[in-house]
Amino acid sequence: MKLIIASNNAHKVREIEQIVGDYFTEMKTLREAGLEIDVVEDGTTFEENARKKAVEVLAAAPEFDAALADDSGLIVDALNGAPGVYSARYAGEGHDDAANNKKLLEDMDNVPEVLRTCRFASSIVLARRGMEPITVIGYAEGTLLREPRGENGFGYDPLFWYAPLNKTFAELTADEKNSVSHRSRSLALLKEALEAEKQ
């Protein structure tokens, strides 16, 4: 089964290859497949956005049997689930990680430690020709710090405190993060679903 990954993120692709690579005869990113497609992510949930991306990319890539897409972000309980699906553009269109983090810290300024619970979510959808898409979602639970820590990772990683390892996501090595991240958990769920189909 030939798979196109609806991403050009090398780190993401490596993680996908490590966890579910055995289920596909060939895997290519959008760039490797020579495909330029900009899917409008206007869904209200991570699942809706991931499904839309997977279905549209598969439709645009007839030489592939399946398309895998993910949508992820940060859910903060004290903000009623924000930034959520707007995680990448929380501070507005065209803003960067630093601006998003600054806005998040401002919005959480008066929230006490006990109420600063949050989680990263990653929804993955595998769209396949003539079959129902597989949809899974994985989470990583944490708390929101009041100032960034660590130089690794991206997005909200410097503010996301992961208690089991006593570090922020930005202080983890790539291998550490891959072992506990929301995306690794959703990919593990996808692997379980693919295994179940074989039985």
Side-chain angles (χ1 to χ4, degrees), residues 45-52 71 123 125 135-137 139:
T45 65
F46 297 119
E47 293 94 334
E48 284 178 15
N49 282 336
R51 179 179 283 248
K52 189 177 183 196
D71 192 42
S123 178
V125 173
T135 303
V136 293
I137 188 161
Y139 298 97

Side-chain angles (χ1 to χ4, degrees), residues 79 90-91 98-111 116 144-147 159:
L79 299 177
Y90 190 48
N100 288 334
N101 283 327
K102 182 172 181 284
K103 175 172 168 53
L104 182 59
L105 287 175
E106 288 168 356
D107 291 349
M108 291 289 289
D109 189 42
N110 296 318
V111 178
R116 297 176 74 85
L144 201 70
L145 296 183
R146 294 187 179 275
E147 57 186 32
L159 297 176

Side-chain angles (χ1 to χ4, degrees), residues 7-35:
S7 173
N8 287 312
N9 181 318
H11 174 76
K12 194 183 291 187
V13 171
R14 189 163 55 250
E15 204 173 0
I16 291 167
E17 286 175 343
Q18 285 173 348
I19 298 174
V20 295
D22 291 348
Y23 296 91
F24 305 98
T25 54
E26 185 182 335
M27 298 172 75
K28 285 191 175 177
T29 62
L30 295 173
R31 189 180 296 115
E32 288 167 344
L35 190 63

Side-chain angles (χ1 to χ4, degrees), residues 60-91:
E63 68 274 28
F64 289 88
D65 307 303
L68 186 150
D70 84 308
D71 192 42
S72 56
L74 182 68
I75 298 166
V76 179
D77 294 320
L79 299 177
N80 297 314
V85 292
Y86 304 105
S87 290
R89 51 191 188 279
Y90 190 48

